[in-house]
Amino acid sequence: MLAETICSAVSAAGLGIAAVTAYRKRFLTATRIAAYALVPVGLVLTGVVKWVSDIAFKPSVWLGFGLLGVAWLLFMITRAVERRGGGSRKERRAAARAARGEAVEPAASAPSLGAGSSPGGAGSRAKPGKQGRQSPSAGAGEDFSDIEAILKKHGI
């Protein structure tokens, strides 16, 4: 009831201002003011004002908005923690596989498989005595295989 009275008063004041503006021969501006002045009465007649006033003055509605805000806040916190903690579940699983020495992708090349899981099985592994006699540049080749696996993982 109070909201309807306030809307009616605002509309009456706006129509009064529109009449004064029209008296000053500014008809375009007066028409715009009249249009704005009729909006509150239109909202009262359609029931929007009653609906809004019911929302604004009920504590249960504000409690609902509060709960929606808490839910949104919890969602954002979990997203932030997930991003700090190493990304999504899929990315963490891929990192765990890479740490165990498994292939990053099913179709990965032999150098990216690591020392423990070569495609030829146990018979194709290099003997420990031969690894000690390799040149220093051979160790750098292993580093490049790790880089190659990372690049393949990202599709580069």
Side-chain angles (χ1 to χ4, degrees), residues 2-71:
L2 179 64
E4 289 87 358
T5 306
I6 292 171
C7 286
S8 299
V10 167
S11 290
L15 290 174
I17 293 170
V20 169
T21 307
Y23 179 76
R24 294 181 181 171
K25 307 279 188 210
R26 298 177 64 195
F27 296 112
L28 185 61
T29 306
T31 306
R32 283 193 187 127
I33 292 171
Y36 283 120
L38 292 174
V39 169
V41 172
L43 291 174
V44 168
L45 293 175
T46 58
V48 173
V49 172
K50 182 171 176 28
W51 178 74
V52 170
S53 66
D54 285 344
I55 288 176
F57 297 121
K58 283 187 180 176
S60 61
V61 172
W62 286 105
L63 182 64
F65 281 129
L67 289 175
L68 287 173
V70 168

Side-chain angles (χ1 to χ4, degrees), residues 58-156:
K58 283 187 180 176
S60 61
V61 172
W62 286 105
L63 182 64
F65 281 129
L67 289 175
L68 287 173
V70 168
W72 178 80
L73 183 67
L74 290 173
F75 180 70
M76 287 296 127
I77 288 171
T78 57
R79 295 274 306 211
V81 168
E82 184 180 53
R83 286 182 180 169
R84 279 185 161 216
S88 66
R89 241 187 270 169
K90 185 177 179 181
E91 291 171 349
R92 287 192 300 265
R93 284 183 190 156
R97 276 195 308 246
R100 286 192 311 251
E102 295 179 9
V104 177
E105 291 186 11
S109 64
S112 68
L113 293 174
S117 59
S118 62
S124 65
R125 289 189 191 149
K127 298 208 172 32
K130 289 185 179 181
Q131 288 179 353
R133 288 186 253 150
Q134 290 178 349
S135 66
S137 64
E142 293 175 8
D143 292 338
F144 289 125
S145 66
D146 292 341
I147 294 169
E148 180 185 15
I150 292 169
L151 292 174
K152 282 187 178 184
K153 177 183 172 187
H154 292 287
I156 299 173

